[in-house]
Amino acid sequence: ETYWVLRRGNIVGRASLRELRQGRQADTYHAIFEAIQRRGVTRVIDLGCNISALGRLLFDWGYAGKYTGFDNNLYAIKEGRRALQAMGRNYELGQANIRALPFASNSFECVVMKDVLEHMEDFKPLLGEALRVSSRYAIIANFIPWTEGDTIIRRQPGGFYLNLYSRSEVYGFARGRGWQVSQVISALEKDSRPNEAVIFTSHGKPPVEQTSPRNF
């Protein structure tokens, strides 16, 4: 797939919108889009955004709000900016450690992480930060499904992780911060493999704080 990260932070080629729409994970992207649209979200942050495939598809499918994306891969950010600038939409992209975001709490209505959590040595710092900056919704979609048993940490020879996190552990962590699972979506990919997207909702947070990003 021409738009994806090749493990150690390298980008393989570029992808057109047409390629993204027809890609293997297009159904998952569209399920995320529908969840955002149905809830009237106007400020979304995409953590581990890569080249902003999600942002490009959101806008292409009719999203009218602001899209913010963060990734630690500078080349990916540059590619995302190039593509989103050409679309002329409301976006902001930055390179940063997504476990220490330059935003105040509750800065966004919705945080999205697609194919990110399972590549972390420990999901808690990242998920905790994601829930901190979101006031209403968190959408987590994993390329590697959560296990119904114990967490399995799988560190690869290249230094990255392909973990199977315990569903009950992830859900319990979110509950401990005032979040509940409101919907689980199974988007069938073109290779007939279901890719699950879990939507967490919080009703106990204050309204969204309008803040500006720092240290871009």
Side-chain angles (χ1 to χ4, degrees):
E1 295 185 46
T2 58
Y3 63 92
W4 201 240
V5 169
L6 182 60
R7 293 179 176 168
R8 294 189 182 182
N10 300 315
I11 296 294
V12 183
R14 297 177 175 178
S16 66
L17 270 173
R18 181 173 178 273
E19 289 174 310
L20 292 176
R21 289 192 218 102
Q22 296 179 353
R24 181 173 55 79
Q25 299 187 47
D27 287 347
T28 302
Y29 282 118
H30 199 269
I32 294 172
F33 162 73
E34 288 184 330
I36 288 172
Q37 287 291 88
R38 191 177 302 118
R39 290 162 176 80
V41 171
T42 61
R43 280 176 59 83
V44 61
I45 183 168
D46 181 13
L47 301 183
C49 65
N50 200 275
I51 60 169
S52 300
L54 174 63
R56 295 165 64 188
L57 289 170
L58 288 180
F59 288 132
D60 184 57
W61 286 325
Y63 175 66
K66 182 174 181 178
Y67 168 83
T68 299
F70 270 92
D71 201 282
N72 65 359
N73 187 314
L74 183 58
Y75 184 82
I77 292 298
K78 290 179 178 178
E79 285 293 295
R81 284 177 180 153
R82 178 188 61 80
L84 289 170
Q85 185 175 16
M87 297 181 76
R89 306 305 291 269
N90 189 8
Y91 77 93
E92 190 118 41
L93 295 181
Q95 181 189 30
N97 176 0
I98 58 177
R99 288 170 290 189
L101 295 169
F103 294 100
S105 298
N106 310 316
S107 292
F108 300 88
E109 293 167 82
C110 180
V111 61
V112 177
M113 285 191 292
K114 182 181 182 299
D115 303 341
V116 177
L117 209 62
E118 64 267 44
H119 301 302
M120 294 293 178
E121 181 178 4
D122 183 0
F123 76 86
K124 297 181 184 69
L126 177 55
L127 183 56
E129 185 70 346
L131 299 179
R132 180 187 70 80
V133 299
S134 179
S135 65
R136 293 293 304 279
Y137 307 108
I139 303 176
I140 314 297
N142 290 337
F143 180 79
I144 301 172
W146 290 329
T147 175
E148 306 307 323
D150 295 332
T151 288
I152 301 173
I153 303 298
R154 304 186 300 183
R155 189 176 189 274
Q156 304 302 298
F160 60 95
Y161 291 85
L162 298 174
N163 297 332
L164 287 87
Y165 285 120
S166 163
R167 182 186 303 278
S168 62
E169 187 177 357
V170 175
Y171 284 13
F173 181 86
R175 282 196 302 271
R177 283 153 179 75
W179 294 75
Q180 298 293 330
V181 174
S182 62
Q183 187 178 6
V184 178
I185 302 168
S186 182
L188 189 64
E189 304 294 358
K190 288 183 167 45
D191 59 359
S192 298
R193 179 184 56 81
N195 195 6
E196 186 179 84
V198 179
I199 302 174
F200 296 89
T201 303
S202 173
H203 297 290
K205 286 193 172 185
V208 175
E209 299 175 10
Q210 297 300 321
T211 60
S212 297
R214 306 187 302 274
N215 302 324
F216 272 91

